Amino acid sequence: MKIKTVNAKLYQWTGPVTTGDTIFATPVSLLPFQKDSQAAYRFFSWLVLEIVTDDGHIGIGNAGLCPDITKAIIDSKLKSLLIGENPLNTEYLYEKMYRSTVAFGRKGAVLAAISAVDIALWDIKGHIMKQPVFMLMGGRTKEQIDTYYSRLYTRDLDSLQKEAAHYKAEGFTGMKLRCGYPLTEGTAGMRKNVEMVRVVRETVGDDVDIMLEAYMGFDFAYARRLLRELEPYNLRWVEELLLPDEIHNFAKLKQYTEIPLSGGEHEYTRFGFYDLIKADALDIFQFDTNRVGGFTEAQKICTLAYQNGIEIIPHGGQMHNLHVVMSSFASPMAEYFPKTGIEVGNEMFWYIFDGEAIANDGKLQLDDHLPGVGLTLKPHPEHFTIIE
């Protein structure tokens, strides 16, 4: 059995986009002269990869990070490395792709491209062996997957309260909100960020975990002050306070707070996470399987994290991350984005794939008998232009 074709497709959203009050801090919001600090972080396309073997097996992979560039990398750099290879040799093919691109890769879009390929290869492996990917990665480590609700984008306190109350009633025992006010708004903005947390805590009570997302939007001094102000609200974690390369500053922040610090959404490979472990920089790793190196690399990072007492709670829900959560004792829960209208772009997977797990009473279940990743492509997705 050999790989016959590697087909990367770009799904570009052409339907309506509703931003509303979807405003939160980003790395660009630290800079002057910015009219829209979120513009660089909205995306309205998705990379879908299909790998076909000479005996007709099909594997589906995907990448949401920088999809147009990711497609170009697959087409120009990775495809030629894969044609004619045995798709079951996932360890070898990962190393072949990683080592062949290391001079210009190592992180970012190149790793997203490698991840899409790796996910598709594991999908093929699952179909051939008639097993879901999580069974091939170690099997079931939990009866079902606990999730936390991940939106609360609004800065309007009444809307924030209503949304939090609704999803508590839906059975979620954890929920994450965003910092609506950037560093440039100073102490007044910090007070407003803390007020958002206060409103959610008072709405959901003490038995629901609250997490706060900063999306790389602050510097060390602001982050240190913010953590002090957040101490009374018993947060499960505060996420990505700083730029991902500020490993030393994350390690310093841990000395000033009892609140767990999370990150790693924008980190790559076992090497990047080993550096975080050496620095004792984070309490929780939040890689995304379709960025970090696919299932092949995710397994290695889970092992590193587990032996060092670090939790794995992947970025985004989606089936590629759920297989990691189900198969690893390092991972206690999964993030969950419900199906909504298109706002920032990460909602698009609901409109491209069939088979995504849907939360029931705040929990997810994977099928022991559904082979591979468990996704199929919608035959006629609305509001997309598909570029091959």
Side-chain angles (χ1 to χ4, degrees), residues 144-145 147 170-172 336 358-365:
Q144 53 190 342
I145 297 173
T147 70
E170 289 286 311
F172 288 91
Y336 185 75
I358 298 174
N360 180 22
D361 198 28
K363 299 181 185 297
L364 295 171
Q365 187 57 275

Side-chain angles (χ1 to χ4, degrees), residues 9 31 38 70 75 114 137 174 181 228 257 264 279 288 296 309 339 354 370 386:
K9 298 185 287 187
L31 304 177
Q38 282 190 296
T70 302
D75 290 341
I114 291 173
M137 294 173 66
Y181 299 89
R228 185 173 64 244
T257 185
D288 198 318
T296 297
K339 184 176 181 179
D354 285 321
L370 188 62
I386 302 174

Side-chain angles (χ1 to χ4, degrees), residues 15-301:
V17 175
T18 304
T19 56
D21 194 30
T22 307
I23 302 171
F24 43 85
T26 75
V28 177
S29 59
L30 279 72
L31 304 177
F33 320 125
Q34 302 303 308
K35 295 181 179 179
D36 184 357
S37 63
Q38 282 190 296
Y41 302 97
R42 298 188 189 100
F43 56 98
F44 301 109
S45 59
W46 205 273
L47 186 285
V48 174
L49 179 67
E50 289 183 296
I51 295 179
V52 182
T53 68
D54 56 5
D55 57 356
H57 288 98
I58 300 174
I60 298 174
N62 77 92
L65 180 68
C66 201
D68 52 344
I69 304 302
T70 302
K71 172 175 165 53
I73 292 166
I74 293 172
D75 290 341
S76 64
K77 302 297 183 183
L78 301 184
K79 184 183 297 187
S80 62
L81 303 176
L82 299 166
I83 300 299
E85 293 282 6
N86 185 336
L88 299 181
N89 290 333
T90 49
E91 187 76 18
Y92 159 72
L93 289 175
Y94 174 83
E95 290 295 328
K96 183 179 182 181
M97 291 185 290
Y98 177 78
R99 292 169 183 271
S100 296
T101 60
V102 70
F104 55 88
R106 299 176 56 238
K107 296 179 185 288
V110 171
L111 258 295
I114 291 173
S115 300
V117 171
D118 188 80
I119 292 168
L121 294 176
W122 278 84
D123 193 32
I124 290 173
K125 185 182 291 192
H127 283 284
I128 289 172
M129 297 184 179
K130 297 181 173 55
Q131 293 289 332
V133 167
F134 74 85
M135 283 296 186
L136 302 179
M137 294 173 66
R140 183 177 287 272
T141 65
K142 43 190 71 74
E143 291 185 7
Q144 53 190 342
I145 297 173
D146 291 328
T147 70
Y148 69 91
Y149 170 74
S150 184
R151 280 187 60 79
L152 298 173
Y153 289 160
T154 180
R155 299 192 296 184
D156 179 79
L157 297 181
D158 288 338
S159 299
L160 195 66
Q161 186 273 331
K162 290 175 183 177
E163 187 179 352
H166 174 77
Y167 282 95
K168 179 184 178 183
E170 289 286 311
F172 288 91
T173 56
M175 53 188 67
K176 184 167 75 180
L177 69 157
R178 276 67 183 169
C179 290
Y181 299 89
L183 182 148
T184 50
E185 297 198 21
T187 301
M190 183 181 297
R191 285 198 301 267
K192 291 178 182 179
N193 285 327
V194 175
E195 179 71 359
M196 292 172 67
V197 173
R198 183 193 64 78
V199 167
V200 174
R201 174 55 76 203
E202 291 181 355
T203 299
V204 302
D206 293 331
D207 294 331
V208 174
D209 284 330
I210 297 176
M211 304 75 157
L212 182 64
E213 161 77 86
Y215 203 69
M216 309 174 286
F218 302 131
D219 62 17
F220 177 83
Y222 184 104
R224 181 179 173 182
R225 293 176 60 201
L226 177 63
L227 287 167
R228 185 173 64 244
E229 296 297 320
L230 292 170
E231 290 283 353
Y233 299 102
N234 190 29
L235 294 182
R236 178 69 166 81
W237 71 71
V238 178
E239 182 171 331
E240 283 200 306
L241 280 161
L242 310 170
L243 291 171
D245 289 326
E246 293 187 62
I247 295 175
H248 58 295
N249 281 332
F250 277 111
K252 287 166 58 180
L253 279 179
K254 282 188 66 177
Q255 301 173 28
Y256 295 109
T257 185
E258 294 298 315
I259 302 173
L261 302 183
S262 70
E265 173 185 340
H266 299 97
E267 190 53 82
Y268 303 86
T269 77
R270 62 192 183 273
F271 301 111
F273 285 90
Y274 180 63
D275 287 342
L276 288 168
I277 290 170
K278 284 196 302 181
D280 191 22
L282 296 173
D283 301 288
I284 299 164
F285 289 165
Q286 295 172 298
F287 64 73
D288 198 318
T289 306
N290 73 355
R291 300 180 186 181
V292 78
F295 294 119
T296 297
E297 203 70 351
Q299 283 188 296
K300 297 180 176 67
I301 298 166

